[in-house]
């Protein structure tokens, strides 16, 4: 079942500004995506407490509007809300998103750490 997240909404057929385009969580597909499914973040769950973000894709027609970051925002907020750690396998997440938004580094999984984040530190 698709679950909506993010800000307000518009008709799914119209081009929405990135700050208002809804991000949908498709649990069964293990994806966060735009309503049209064209831009998405794919993840896997190697354990119940770890989300491995494996791929982020935004089509050329939607690039440069902040959608990749919004997809990552949704995934990291999802992980935080469920007490999960994140493995940033996707190069966009590790090389671009996390350096721009270092506050999310507290959720990044290290093999030396307990996979369950301490809720009191968040």
């Amino acid at each position: 079942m698709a679950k909506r997240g993010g800000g307000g909404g518009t008709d799914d057929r119209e081009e929405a500004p990135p700050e208002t385009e809804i991000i949908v969580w498709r649990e069964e597909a293990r994806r966060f995506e735009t309503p049209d499914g064209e831009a998405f973040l794919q993840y896997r769950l190697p354990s119940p407490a770890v989300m491995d973000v494996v791929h982020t894709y935004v089509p050329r027609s939607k690039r440069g509007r902040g959608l990749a970051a919004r997809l990552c925002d949704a995934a990291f907020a999802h992980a935080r809300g469920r007490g999960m750690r994140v493995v940033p396998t996707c190069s966009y997440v590790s090389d671009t998103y996390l350096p721009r938004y270092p506050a999310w580094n507290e959720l990044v999984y290290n093999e030396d750490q307990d996979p369950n984040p301490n809720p009191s530190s968040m």
Side-chain angles (χ1 to χ4, degrees):
M1 173 175 206
K3 298 175 184 168
R4 294 180 180 256
T10 62
D11 185 317
D12 289 350
R13 294 170 301 207
E14 295 178 6
E15 284 285 318
E19 65 276 359
T20 61
E21 188 161 7
I22 293 170
I23 300 299
V24 179
W25 174 40
R26 289 196 45 227
E27 183 176 11
E28 73 285 354
R30 295 191 174 158
R31 285 169 50 133
F32 290 89
E33 60 186 34
T34 53
D36 60 13
E38 290 183 6
F40 64 87
L41 178 147
Q42 184 82 41
Y43 65 92
R44 63 184 197 87
L45 299 172
S47 78
V50 177
M51 173 190 286
D52 183 2
V53 177
V54 295
H55 187 62
T56 304
Y57 176 75
V58 176
R60 191 173 308 276
S61 63
K62 294 186 177 200
R63 291 183 188 165
R65 301 185 339 194
L67 280 174
R70 292 208 47 247
L71 291 162
C72 291
D73 290 344
F76 275 81
H78 175 88
R80 174 180 276 160
R82 286 160 181 75
M84 302 172 82
R85 293 275 183 202
V86 177
V87 177
T89 300
C90 170
S91 62
Y92 170 79
V93 177
S94 62
D95 300 345
T96 304
Y97 180 77
L98 287 171
R100 287 182 185 166
Y101 305 96
W104 289 116
N105 281 318
E106 67 185 28
L107 293 185
V108 173
Y109 176 73
N110 274 318
E111 291 182 23
D112 300 335
Q113 294 176 318
D114 178 355
N116 298 306
N118 181 353
S120 65
S121 69
M122 293 186 194

